[in-house]
Amino acid sequence: MSILRPPLPALLASLLCGALLAGPPAALAAEVDDGIETARTSRPVAPGVRLDSYDRLERDRWLRVDELVVDLAAPGGVRAEYLGGRGAETLAQAVAHHPAGPGRRVVGAVNGDFFDIRGTGAPLGPGVRGGRLLHSASPGPGGAAVGFAPDGSGRVLRLGLTGSITLPGGAVRTPAGYNAALPPAEGFAVYTADWPGSVLPDIGPAVELRDGRVAVAAPVPILRRPARRDRPAPGTTLLVAAGAAAAELAALRVGEPVTVTAAPLPESGPVPLEAVGGREALVVAGVPQNHDGEPNDTAAPRTAVGLSRDGRSLRLVTVDGRMRASGGLTLTGLGRMMHRLGAHEALNLDGGGSSTLLAALSGATAPTLENTPSDGRPRPVPNGLALTAPVGSGRLTGYRIEAAAGRLFPGLTRALTATGHDPALGPAPGTPSWSAEGAGRIGPDGVLRGSRSGPVTVRAHTDRPGARPAESGPAEGSLALEVLGPLTRIRPTRDRIGLADRTESAGFDLTGYDGQGRATTVEPGDTVLRYDRSRWRVAPDGRGGFTVRALVARATGRLRVSVPATGATVELALGAGLDALPLADLEDAARWMGAGATAAPGEGRPGTGIALTLPAPAPTATAAAPRPIPLPEQARSVSLWVGADGSGARPAVHLTDGDGAGLTLRGPAADWSGWRRITLPLPATAEPPLCLTGLSATRGGGGPSRLLLDTLTAETPPTGAAPTVTLPPDPVVSTPAGVRARPWRFAVSPDGRAPGVGADFVLAGVDGRPGFTHRGVRFVPLDGRRRTLDAGGGLDRMRVLAEALTAAAREPGTGAVAVVQRYAPGVVDRNEAALLTRRLAEFRRATGKRAALFTLDAPRFTAARTEGVPTVTTGRAGRTLIGVDAFAAGEWLSILPGPTPAP
């Protein structure tokens, strides 16, 4: 930032430059490398169990982390137990029928072992429940597990298989597999009713044993069939063999005695009471492990388990991935994180779309989903770890109060619910009475109505007749809320809703704003909806929002939402059905450049197409688009014609999102000959705006391959354009007289020239400039030369901001902070932008001082505010004059955009 007139004193400038540009203190260097925490919530789940959820900004990614922190030595008696084992199902389904035992309940869970996802669905590692082996590890480097002793303490260990198969005549063989997902290539394997998969593997000839004798001797192949037929019945054992053992199996006859035993064999120490398999060691004896270069060491969603040195403190952790809000972790990064969290030993569990974490709410009968699975929904998995705790007394001691949001507007409402809980946070019946203190009043139905701006505390309470002296007093819960200023405008979270057909639904919330840009949701009960009810159905979703469904196969329309108490209105565009909107006809195929890509005149469908040729041994061929091709915002899928030669090569479409993150849509193996149209759905986690950047093909077999690609379209609901929204001018926009009335002024000028009116200085640059303080305002330049996730650009900016806000909060002579950045689309991602405004709003609330955000050299001038913080972009076409009073009682800025006239 250059200051052209007048200059600051040299000494002051040098001091400020040293303070802001010397870098973070040495003590903070490690935190810089590891990232910074940007948000955290914490809540008790059960005695001895806590859920922590937090976001982090790392140098190269955003992270969302959820962790169950468990005290295995707590008096409450929390235990970790093997979960599932009856075929693939969601974690919630497994919890619903988990045998927790008399007087116990499940309070949390995570997914468990890696599994044979494209085959049997069975876990690849070992599993133990109640000290009994459920399944052994499949052949290979498996056997890693986390186990828990009868006293509850845990450890990471390796579990092998021991046991015996006693054949007629007394010959004893050691089993090579027990309910293993992948049968061994040599020796005997055993399958029982504890089989944890969905279908049995192709195990070949099998002998059926019952009550220690051969029941069916004729060895017939057991093929994959539905799990209900493949799972051996209780009391029945299937014995199979491979290699030299096959002859001994074939010699067995009906009625001959055959006994089978199997047990887990730990590498050292006692047999665990409960155990679930994993794969890579993340922390060993307090040392995080380096997995650089290993096949699984890529950024992905992760699940991990960590234990303290004494095994009494347990952490079950998920890290979301494959989405803008959380990029996932490598194995090496996950190990570092688990070490930072205090793990002395840690093990990697299955990740990717399997990563799932459930945790109970106070008074809830079952745990609920806490993380965001990368598939957009929980994936069925074969097993997991469940946390169980003693069932409470069921005696009501308190209420958990919930609301769709912790704010509301004067004259509008907020629906509250109260769930009773006992001392162990388990469910307890109760019907509360409601009361409110402060800026609102509440009815017997739990609906709060705002009366005026200010705080309000809501209480749910129930007197307990006959309570013992130690339990005297009412059962009570409270929730603090805030009533904002009067509602000035509303906006839906989605301005267009597109549905593929009548079976689909989509939701939206209605966000309201007061005059300071403070926002919260507006309850459906405070609105009036106008729409064509013969074509659409719009109803409250029970969570403070709305659900939209189409009643006909194809329709377009408008939904008008109004808040009668304030007169605010807004419209949404609606559409049902799908149109194939053109993206590229590839007649310009010669301009799509890449290895193995050539134009194919006359071979397209029709006209010219792109040929992707993979001569052996080339693994891929690529074709980069001459420029990014925008996808319609409501697009559901991308389709293209594929001319295949039967080689099994796999086509793919490459996209980027609004922050430049890559996304690949992979097509099926093209094992057909001739043309076929394929449709590739966009994942639920894909966030627009999306652009198509290229095409590729991956080898399917050993020989050469050639694919022809043509005519790309995007299947999109016909919503039409979003309704136009016009915002009223922000109060900071003023007149020449208003600006001159301020105690002092500064100007923003692209060319560095001062306007023809008195200004203390001119801002004409930002990147690499030092900060300074002038007449009660601390100016904080944020360097925008590096992208948010490019070598820590966002992390460094947030650290500069944090240091400046801390200093400004302590300075009695500083009344305001002005953050200045250049207009640089594509540099600062939306997560960083949201974090910046949130930090400024937190500074304003915590200190009572002012804050503003200035973005220089934008295409045009705009002024708005978020949470009371003015956000101003200055146009590059003229000079903007800004009047300042850092200690004003009301508005502290007056802004005159554009060319400033002479006084």
Side-chain angles (χ1 to χ4, degrees):
M1 184 185 312
S2 59
I3 304 170
L4 302 181
R5 187 168 65 94
L8 286 175
L11 177 60
L12 178 60
S14 64
L15 288 174
L16 289 171
C17 183
L20 291 178
L21 298 184
L28 298 176
E31 185 181 355
V32 172
D33 291 339
D34 291 337
I36 58 174
E37 192 172 295
T38 62
R40 174 179 285 264
T41 61
S42 183
R43 76 162 194 260
V45 172
V49 184
R50 183 182 80 244
L51 173 69
D52 289 341
S53 300
Y54 49 93
D55 299 325
R56 289 181 62 85
L57 172 58
E58 307 284 336
R59 287 198 169 273
D60 59 349
R61 73 199 69 204
W62 294 89
L63 291 178
R64 174 68 178 179
V65 182
D66 294 282
E67 57 172 312
L68 287 162
V69 183
V70 187
D71 181 1
L72 294 173
V78 182
R79 295 202 298 250
E81 300 176 2
Y82 184 100
L83 174 67
R86 297 288 295 179
E89 56 188 350
T90 67
L91 214 59
Q93 291 169 332
V95 163
H97 56 251
H98 177 67
R104 300 189 69 80
R105 65 189 180 102
V106 178
V107 297
V110 295
N111 66 290
D113 200 359
F114 290 77
F115 62 102
D116 183 19
I117 190 170
R118 293 182 177 85
T120 63
L124 296 173
V128 177
R129 176 189 286 149
R132 183 169 62 87
L133 181 67
L134 298 179
H135 52 88
S136 65
S138 290
V146 57
F148 299 90
D151 67 357
S153 62
R155 62 187 172 118
V156 175
L157 71 163
R158 299 195 71 82
L159 275 178
L161 171 65
T162 187
S164 63
I165 299 171
T166 304
L167 301 173
V172 178
R173 304 288 181 258
T174 300
Y178 187 84
N179 286 326
L182 306 178
E186 181 69 39
F188 286 95
V190 179
Y191 292 89
T192 73
D194 287 328
W195 165 247
S198 299
V199 292
L200 282 176
D202 293 330
I203 54 179
V207 166
E208 190 173 296
L209 309 176
R210 295 194 201 104
D211 299 323
R213 292 187 177 274
V214 176
V216 179
V220 295
I222 305 297
L223 302 177
R224 284 196 180 98
R225 294 188 297 268
R228 288 186 300 275
R229 298 176 59 191
D230 266 354
R231 186 185 306 278
T236 299
T237 299
L238 291 180
L239 186 64
V240 300
E248 292 181 297
L249 182 76
L252 295 177
R253 296 292 178 263
V254 172
E256 290 184 324
V258 178
T259 59
V260 176
T261 65
L265 179 64
E267 194 173 49
S268 61
V271 174
L273 183 70
E274 307 281 337
V276 69
R279 186 172 290 178
E280 297 89 354
L282 300 172
V283 182
V284 177
V287 179
Q289 302 298 290
N290 187 344
H291 293 276
D292 291 353
E294 296 181 12
N296 195 25
D297 193 42
T298 57
R302 296 290 181 182
T303 303
V305 54
L307 290 156
S308 60
R309 183 189 293 268
D310 63 1
R312 296 292 186 176
S313 179
L314 167 70
R315 289 180 186 267
L316 302 178
V317 179
T318 58
V319 182
D320 291 342
R322 298 174 184 162
M323 60 189 71
R324 175 183 288 131
S326 189
L329 280 175
T330 64
L331 286 175
T332 301
L334 182 63
R336 291 194 189 114
M337 188 187 81
M338 296 301 293
H339 179 257
R340 185 172 63 245
L341 293 175
H344 187 71
E345 304 283 342
L347 181 68
N348 182 47
L349 303 181
D350 190 15
S354 300
S355 286
T356 313
L357 184 144
L358 309 181
L361 293 161
S362 300
T365 57
T368 56
L369 180 67
E370 293 294 337
N371 75 313
T372 304
S374 63
D375 290 350
R377 64 184 63 85
R379 173 186 290 177
V381 295
N383 64 8
L385 275 173
L387 297 177
T388 70
V391 172
S393 64
R395 186 178 183 86
L396 180 68
T397 58
Y399 286 99
R400 168 174 52 88
I401 303 178
E402 289 185 297
R407 293 170 157 184
L408 67 160
F409 295 100
L412 302 188
T413 62
R414 181 67 68 214
L416 307 176
T417 60
T419 304
H421 64 79
D422 63 17
L425 304 183
T431 302
S433 298
W434 294 93
S435 62
E437 298 176 0
R441 62 185 187 275
I442 193 166
D445 57 355
V447 175
L448 175 69
R449 183 174 296 275
S451 302
R452 63 184 187 279
S453 299
V456 57
T457 299
V458 172
R459 289 183 172 84
H461 50 89
T462 301
D463 293 330
R464 296 181 296 161
R468 296 191 299 270
E471 298 176 336
S472 60
E476 185 177 278
S478 64
L479 181 66
L481 300 97
E482 180 186 14
V483 181
L484 304 178
L487 178 71
T488 59
R489 62 185 178 94
I490 56 176
R491 182 177 180 180
T493 50
R494 303 169 65 176
D495 54 13
R496 289 188 288 175
I497 290 184
L499 304 174
D501 52 42
R502 286 177 290 181
T503 66
E504 194 174 67
S505 66
F508 72 94
D509 292 343
L510 189 65
T511 303
Y513 299 85
D514 68 7
Q516 289 294 317
R518 296 181 299 174
T520 189
T521 57
V522 175
E523 293 273 351
D526 291 326
T527 67
V528 171
L529 309 180
R530 292 183 175 85
Y531 60 93
D532 185 344
R533 297 175 187 269
S534 68
R535 293 171 173 262
W536 310 96
R537 177 181 297 159
V538 184
D541 63 8
R543 300 182 299 276
F546 301 84
T547 298
V548 180
R549 293 184 180 275
L551 301 179
V552 295
R554 184 174 182 83
T556 59
R558 285 285 196 270
L559 167 63
R560 183 179 179 85
V561 186
S562 62
V563 181
T566 66
T569 62
V570 72
E571 282 193 351
L572 292 78
L574 306 178
L578 292 176
D579 292 332
L581 302 183
L583 294 176
D585 60 11
L586 298 188
E587 290 303 308
D588 62 346
R591 300 178 61 197
W592 291 63
M593 307 299 291
T598 57
E603 294 187 76
R605 197 183 185 280
T608 300
I610 289 179
L612 295 178
T613 304
L614 295 95
T620 59
T622 61
R627 59 185 174 278
I629 301 172
L631 267 66
E633 184 178 344
Q634 297 288 316
R636 297 305 187 82
S637 59
V638 174
S639 294
L640 67 159
W641 283 92
V642 179
D645 59 2
S647 64
R650 298 175 67 96
V653 175
H654 300 275
L655 311 171
T656 59
D657 67 13
D659 294 325
L663 173 66
T664 300
L665 308 180
R666 302 190 186 280
D671 52 6
W672 62 87
S673 296
W675 287 98
R676 183 177 296 180
R677 185 173 182 263
I678 65 171
T679 297
L680 309 178
L682 292 169
T685 53
E687 299 184 52
L690 301 174
C691 287
L692 190 151
T693 58
L695 306 169
S696 70
T698 304
R699 174 180 303 284
S705 300
R706 186 174 187 263
L707 290 185
L708 292 169
L709 308 180
D710 201 1
T711 313
L712 288 96
T713 58
E715 285 65 44
T716 309
T719 59
T724 302
V725 177
T726 302
L727 300 180
D730 191 85
V732 299
V733 179
S734 187
T735 63
V739 173
R740 287 195 296 269
R742 294 292 185 177
W744 65 277
R745 289 155 296 282
F746 71 95
V748 177
S749 175
D751 58 13
R753 292 189 295 113
V757 69
D760 288 29
F761 56 82
V762 176
L763 300 183
V766 176
D767 295 337
R769 304 295 186 177
F772 65 96
T773 301
H774 185 77
R775 299 183 68 173
V777 180
R778 175 180 277 264
F779 286 83
V780 184
L782 297 182
D783 195 325
R785 290 175 291 189
R786 287 179 294 146
R787 292 168 60 93
T788 298
L789 304 180
D790 177 14
L795 186 61
D796 289 344
R797 285 189 288 271
M798 288 301 102
R799 288 200 55 82
V800 168
L801 177 67
E803 185 176 348
L805 294 181
T806 300
R810 295 171 177 168
E811 295 167 348
T814 298
V817 168
V819 175
V820 186
Q821 61 184 4
R822 68 181 174 90
Y823 178 75
V827 173
V828 176
D829 71 22
R830 66 191 68 185
N831 289 334
E832 184 187 346
L835 177 60
L836 171 57
T837 54
R838 189 167 79 241
R839 287 289 191 253
L840 293 178
E842 290 167 352
F843 168 82
R844 179 177 178 270
R845 286 194 297 268
T847 67
K849 299 184 178 186
R850 314 304 180 82
L853 173 62
F854 293 93
T855 302
L856 310 187
D857 301 333
R860 62 185 181 277
F861 174 89
T862 63
R865 65 186 60 211
T866 303
E867 296 296 319
V869 176
T871 56
V872 180
T873 59
T874 62
R876 63 174 65 107
R879 294 182 291 277
T880 300
L881 187 63
I882 302 163
V884 185
D885 184 352
F887 302 98
E891 291 289 345
W892 66 287
L893 295 173
S894 295
I895 302 177
L896 184 65
T900 304

